[in-house]
Amino acid sequence: MTPLLRVRELKVGFGRKADANPVVKGVSFDLEAGQTLAIVGESGSGKSVTALSINRLVDFGGGKIVGGSMAFARPDGSVLDIASADESALTGIRGREIGMIFQEPMTSLNPVHTVGAQIEEAFRLNRGLGGAAAQAAAREALERVRIPDAAERLRYYPHQLSGGMRQRVMIAMALAGNPRLLIADEPTTALDVTVQAQIMALLAELKAELDMAMIFITHDMGLVAGIADQIMVMQQGEVVERGPTDAVLDSPQHAYTKHLLEAVPHFRGGAAVRTDRPAEGVRKPVVAVDGLTVRFPIGGGFLARKSGAIHAVEGVTFDLIAGETLAIVGESGSGKSTTARAILGLVAATRGAIQTAPGRSGRPVQMVFQDPFASLNPRLTVESLMAEPAIAAGQRVDARLRERMVFLLERVGLSAEALERYPHQFSGGQRQRLCIARALMLNPDVVVLDEAVSALDVSVQARVLDLLIDLQSEFGLAYLFISHDMAVVERIAHRVAVMYAGEVVEIGAASAVLSQPHHAYTRRLIAAVPEMERRRQRYDVDTTPVPSLIKPKGFEPQPAAWIEVGADHRARVEE
Amino acid sequence: MRILKAIVAHPTGRIGAAIIAIYLLLAVCGYFGFTPHDPLQQFRVDRLKPPSSSYLMGTDLFGRDTASRLMAGIGQSFIIAFASVGLATLLGTIIGLLAGWWGGLLDGVFMRSMDMLLAFPAILLALLIIAIVGPGTATSVVAIAAVYTPIFARVVRGPVLTLKRRDFVDAARTFGSSQGYILSRHMLLNLVAPLTVQVTLALAWALLTEAGLSFLGLGTQPPAPSLGLMMSEARNLMQQAPWLLAFPGLTIMLGILGFNLFGDALRDILDPRSQGRSS
């Protein structure tokens, strides 16, 4: 039997000299009907370009297929070589036989049309349906991707839906043509873990229902384990390993695959937490947050009246102990970043107290941001960037200061030559090291790490985490580690606080919170973590929506009630 | 150096740079009197002579050498253009920077007054100012600067609005950097590229506006040579002495073309999206 798609020696290049410098250098694979192939790799590995070549969308991004063949079996038994097909033939294939979903569901939906109109369009183009028939088909499609109140949701605009809902709409549109092959390019990367788990479960169900083949692009080994039949690992445009999922995961052959598998932080349910707690007894808090509340008013312009407020952070209380890591975990919109920004004074607290112990310098709390590309001014040299905290503290830029810069740069694994270079000459991981070195310039007591490793590739992420742990003991730092990634948190945290809808719902020692979660949300969060070890388990997906943070004017929440779960472990009482 | 190399490599930027270089040389010579003849000296016997070896571009009604007057005129125009654009850049940058950074009421007051200035056609606004103050070189500078200040204010305010939300500004705040430091290092430094492009293009418009004002008799006053004034004087002699109109006209046109080509090339080069120039 001929496979659905047979790719041989595919080469793709960009720009005027596409042949000379291919980004994809001879990729070959077969995909049988109804099977799922996962393409795994880090940024720049050519995995997305490979996927975009299969429906030739790569042509619109300036790419060119410079070699190889892609034989696609049509339903009538004929075989089309996509690599050499002309645009008119491809238009008939895209959508109808090969569907695609993208990473960013907001930018792939048109914001000025209702989702109903957009799904109907997909049915009009791919199935020739019109009017009431298209509308009914659109409703069915939404029901098929498990969107509640589908008829009602058809009238919504994309911005009125959550990220997970939008991705469901994208999937509904991709399925409108009943494709025999679905290409999913990092479809859950921009989503929260619990939403990611929902989408993955949905894709697995749909695949079985529709007997559809799938190519799944991801950087996350743990994610593909549950869905893929085959795994193909790519590095710098080449396939380094290909095989059945279990074989690749359990006995990887290539060094890079092994390296990737090791670098991926495995979540072990609290079994892998740090044991190097600083000496007991001197547990003095360096930052004490008591009842922190941050609200952003809505409306209230020149003539408009204030209609309410976004309760971004509501009554958050915790202590950060000297030399320890407190991780704040939660999903987007849970208020974890706002809490961090309030501690640094970047947003004003509406209520509550933040007490910082006088530290070794005038500014005992420093911060490292998520995006290493945005947090360094591109027009300044590393020397100017590193000097900034010292200049702000009134120090002179002299030989001694330069000595400290070189010391810190070398400590984070960069050389002294870096001083004369500009940020764009460094990779993402190196930039984040720069940001860490810069945060240490003033010898702080506390470093707030706001998703500081989230934007990095897994192998880089692992090394930066190791560096952070080393620096912590060497400089006696306390970390406030903001993250959405449970596996990363498990590796670095001594204590964990779980935030949900602006409130801390559970806080305590990392081992206790991660191994015996008490609050329903913590349990849900932990259940959603994709994990290789649990790949054969099936778990029910909870689709409880997050309560709205927008509250009417004058709204005051009930004071929280807590239960002590263990010695250093307490959770909020659920209604 | 890098930018200079890129301009030489740019197909039209090269032409613009060459034109500007020649004009700068002519302007310096003209301003300091290194001209073939004294631009004010009247050779009574050689009135309205067509171009010849002794008078390269002919002579005017009073027997003055057109080539010399053109060189002096370019010098005069360049001084006014550079001074007015310099003033407009300074004022516009300060206004745009403060409006964008502080926002709120200050932004409203500043930008609405800029909008008011923008609502007038350029030459009308300049005329208005000159009518109030009286013609002269200094007035021309102020009038042209007033016309172009709002454009610079806008060019600066836009990027400031996005820059101030960038993480590196937040990072600077966490270090406790002063506002002056943030404004100069994080804002201004990132504004150099858009400002450079705008200055070059504004120079072209300023040259044209200056010529227009002089043509109307409101800029440089006779007998001092000026491009606009020369065209105005030659207008009635178009039939007998077409070179008197053609040469100043061509000079203005070429000059503006030069600055525009140069400015477009700069925009291409400084655009971070252009390949290999991401700094």
Side-chain angles (χ1 to χ4, degrees):
Chain A
M1 186 193 151
T2 54
L4 178 68
L5 180 69
R6 169 170 283 173
V7 176
R8 284 290 172 272
E9 286 302 313
L10 176 69
K11 287 192 183 72
V12 188
F14 281 86
R16 259 176 282 177
K17 289 177 199 144
D19 314 24
N21 225 336
V23 180
V24 174
K25 306 163 185 164
V27 167
S28 306
F29 62 86
D30 287 346
L31 181 64
E32 304 286 342
Q35 295 276 299
T36 297
L37 170 76
I39 307 182
V40 186
E42 295 186 288
S43 47
S45 61
K47 59 188 191 301
S48 281
V49 175
T50 306
L52 287 171
S53 303
I54 292 164
N55 55 9
R56 287 279 295 277
L57 278 179
V58 73
D59 294 20
F60 300 99
K64 202 176 151 209
I65 293 175
V66 292
S69 67
M70 289 185 287
F72 183 71
R74 306 289 300 266
D76 57 11
S78 65
V79 170
L80 176 80
D81 181 14
I82 296 177
S84 57
D86 58 7
E87 188 55 34
S88 60
L90 291 168
T91 315
I93 296 254
R94 286 190 203 119
R96 273 171 234 188
E97 292 175 40
I98 303 180
M100 176 145 192
I101 48 179
F102 298 89
Q103 176 171 348
E104 201 38 84
M106 189 68 222
T107 49
S108 11
L109 286 171
N110 188 335
V112 300
H113 292 296
T114 61
V115 297
Q118 295 183 57
I119 302 172
E120 281 168 38
E121 189 193 4
F123 278 104
R124 244 196 332 274
L125 293 175
N126 295 327
R127 298 258 199 92
L129 298 181
Q135 211 168 2
R139 203 192 61 238
E140 259 172 53
L142 279 193
E143 279 164 359
R144 190 157 64 179
V145 294
R146 280 88 171 151
I147 289 184
D149 312 322
E152 179 69 19
R153 304 277 177 178
L154 286 174
R155 286 198 293 275
Y156 279 38
Y157 286 91
H159 73 267
Q160 294 170 303
L161 298 170
S162 67
M165 284 288 183
R166 287 197 286 259
Q167 196 59 285
R168 282 161 197 268
V169 170
M170 279 305 297
I171 295 172
M173 284 172 72
L175 297 183
N178 249 341
R180 290 180 305 132
L181 171 63
L182 180 70
I183 302 171
D185 186 5
E186 303 246 14
T188 60
T189 307
L191 304 174
D192 285 322
V193 265
T194 55
V195 182
Q196 167 173 294
Q198 294 165 19
I199 296 288
M200 293 306 291
L202 174 70
L203 283 175
E205 281 173 39
L206 289 174
K207 191 175 80 98
E209 256 172 52
L210 304 171
D211 192 29
M212 171 177 71
M214 191 152 81
I215 295 180
F216 195 94
I217 319 292
T218 185
H219 64 276
D220 188 344
M221 278 281 198
L223 193 60
V224 300
I227 196 167
D229 301 301
Q230 299 246 339
I231 290 184
M232 181 164 101
V233 182
M234 286 187 70
Q235 185 190 22
Q236 291 174 358
E238 283 171 44
V239 177
V240 296
E241 184 157 358
R242 191 177 73 223
T245 302
D246 288 345
V248 173
L249 293 184
D250 295 334
S251 51
Q253 299 302 311
H254 193 275
Y256 180 69
T257 315
K258 286 180 195 161
H259 166 72
L260 264 188
L261 282 167
E262 271 163 30
V264 172
H266 295 273
F267 181 68
R268 309 257 307 273
V273 292
R274 288 170 66 181
T275 47
D276 60 334
R277 289 202 120 173
E280 297 282 331
V282 282
R283 296 177 52 80
K284 64 173 193 331
V286 275
V287 178
V289 178
D290 186 22
L292 175 70
T293 299
V294 182
R295 292 173 190 171
F296 301 105
I298 305 170
F302 183 50
L303 288 171
R305 200 162 333 141
K306 278 181 195 164
S307 56
I310 298 171
H311 290 218
V313 176
E314 193 64 61
V316 164
T317 302
F318 61 79
D319 286 345
L320 177 60
I321 309 293
E324 272 194 11
T325 305
L326 172 67
I328 301 185
V329 284
E331 305 192 323
S332 49
S334 62
K336 54 192 195 306
S337 280
T338 310
T339 305
R341 295 172 74 83
I343 289 170
L344 280 139
L346 293 174
V347 295
T350 312
R351 213 180 289 155
I354 299 166
Q355 277 180 344
T356 312
R360 294 177 282 232
S361 73
R363 292 211 157 239
V365 187
Q366 293 291 324
M367 183 158 174
V368 176
F369 293 80
Q370 171 171 8
D371 185 352
F373 292 84
S375 52
L376 296 172
N377 185 343
R379 302 250 163 213
L380 292 178
T381 59
V382 170
E383 180 167 354
S384 307
L385 290 165
M386 297 275 290
E388 189 174 348
I391 292 170
Q395 295 175 20
R396 273 215 319 274
V397 182
D398 52 16
R400 246 189 67 226
L401 192 71
R402 214 155 281 135
E403 234 168 68
R404 178 153 180 87
M405 290 182 198
V406 173
F407 165 70
L408 286 173
L409 281 178
E410 281 171 355
R411 190 60 201 81
V412 298
L414 295 167
S415 68
E417 294 156 33
L419 282 179
E420 285 129 48
R421 289 157 68 189
Y422 286 89
H424 72 265
Q425 294 168 291
F426 296 91
S427 68
Q430 287 173 322
R431 285 185 197 214
Q432 204 58 304
R433 286 164 192 270
L434 267 176
C435 291
I436 293 168
R438 180 162 76 147
L440 296 181
M441 277 299 286
L442 291 181
N443 199 11
D445 296 275
V446 180
V447 180
V448 175
L449 301 151
D450 186 3
E451 299 272 10
V453 296
S454 306
L456 307 175
D457 276 331
V458 274
S459 56
V460 180
Q461 187 179 53
R463 285 198 293 273
V464 172
L465 273 179
D466 287 340
L467 172 69
L468 284 171
I469 291 169
D470 289 349
L471 292 174
Q472 180 162 40
S473 51
E474 186 175 338
F475 293 95
L477 299 167
Y479 288 149
L480 188 65
F481 191 90
I482 316 283
S483 182
H484 67 278
D485 189 334
M486 293 303 248
V488 168
V489 162
E490 188 181 25
R491 283 193 55 185
I492 196 166
H494 296 106
R495 300 181 76 232
V496 174
V498 181
M499 278 189 82
Y500 178 63
E503 297 169 342
V504 172
V505 293
E506 186 158 358
I507 184 167
S511 53
V513 173
L514 297 180
S515 63
Q516 287 138 6
H518 185 85
H519 195 275
Y521 176 71
T522 315
R523 286 207 295 267
R524 215 161 88 207
L525 202 58
I526 287 173
V529 178
E531 196 36 60
M532 264 171 259
E533 281 72 34
R534 295 189 300 188
R535 62 179 175 252
R536 281 175 203 89
Q537 266 178 42
R538 297 229 6 116
Y539 37 87
D540 290 328
V541 175
D542 186 346
T543 53
T544 321
V546 180
S548 171
L549 296 174
I550 300 170
K551 300 282 161 50
K553 202 182 170 193
F555 176 86
E556 283 303 327
Q558 295 285 317
W562 293 87
I563 39 168
E564 300 292 331
V565 183
D568 177 23
H569 184 187
R570 52 200 221 123
R572 216 178 169 100
V573 176
E574 293 159 68
E575 285 103 41
Chain B
M1 266 334 279
R2 190 175 59 76
I3 290 178
L4 216 64
K5 264 187 202 151
I7 282 177
V8 172
H10 194 280
T12 55
R14 186 163 41 203
I15 302 172
I19 295 175
I20 292 175
I22 294 169
Y23 269 60
L24 274 176
L25 188 71
L26 290 176
V28 170
C29 291
Y31 189 75
F32 290 105
F34 298 111
T35 49
H37 299 279
D38 179 349
L40 296 182
Q41 194 188 345
Q42 302 181 354
F43 301 96
R44 294 296 167 93
V45 282
D46 293 327
R47 296 193 328 182
L48 289 179
K49 287 276 183 239
S52 65
S53 57
S54 48
Y55 305 109
L56 273 176
M57 296 181 177
T59 59
D60 68 2
L61 191 60
F62 304 102
R64 295 175 296 197
D65 177 36
T66 306
S68 307
R69 287 179 68 75
L70 269 182
M71 286 172 71
I74 293 173
Q76 173 75 5
S77 294
F78 265 46
I79 285 180
I80 294 179
F82 277 100
S84 56
V85 170
L87 190 62
T89 311
L90 186 72
L91 288 177
T93 306
I94 292 173
I95 291 173
L97 196 60
L98 295 182
W101 180 252
W102 288 107
L105 189 64
L106 187 88
D107 185 26
V109 172
F110 274 7
M111 293 323 285
R112 291 307 78 73
S113 33
M114 292 294 110
D115 286 349
M116 243 145 65
L117 288 181
L118 265 182
F120 287 99
I123 205 94
L124 190 69
L125 180 64
L127 282 178
L128 191 75
I129 293 169
I130 292 166
I132 296 168
V133 189
T137 305
T139 323
S140 298
V141 170
V142 172
I144 297 171
V147 170
Y148 294 114
T149 300
I151 295 176
F152 281 99
R154 288 210 157 173
V155 163
V156 168
R157 179 176 169 267
V160 167
L161 285 182
T162 52
L163 281 172
K164 75 171 179 178
R165 304 214 178 281
R166 295 276 292 274
D167 276 353
F168 60 75
V169 174
D170 274 343
R173 286 204 188 100
T174 66
F175 304 137
S177 292
S178 65
Q179 265 186 53
Y181 187 89
I182 296 178
L183 284 177
S184 60
R185 300 233 95 181
H186 295 311
M187 297 288 151
L188 273 185
L189 212 58
N190 279 294
L191 290 168
V192 169
L195 273 177
T196 317
V197 174
Q198 202 61 31
V199 163
T200 329
L201 296 176
L203 279 172
W205 308 326
L207 275 180
L208 191 64
T209 313
E210 194 276 331
L213 288 176
S214 300
F215 185 85
L216 295 172
L218 295 165
T220 312
Q221 295 300 305
S226 140
L227 300 176
L229 202 57
M230 287 170 74
M231 287 190 77
S232 166
E233 286 166 352
R235 200 176 31 156
N236 296 326
L237 302 163
M238 207 160 72
Q239 301 291 326
Q240 300 104 299
W243 61 88
L244 283 184
L245 200 58
F247 286 120
L250 278 175
T251 309
I252 294 172
M253 197 199 79
L254 262 182
I256 289 166
L257 184 73
F259 277 110
N260 270 317
L261 290 179
F262 190 75
D264 286 346
L266 265 186
R267 183 164 48 203
D268 290 350
I269 291 159
L270 293 175
D271 186 344
R273 278 168 298 184
S274 71
Q275 297 237 313
R277 310 236 146 264
S278 56
S279 64

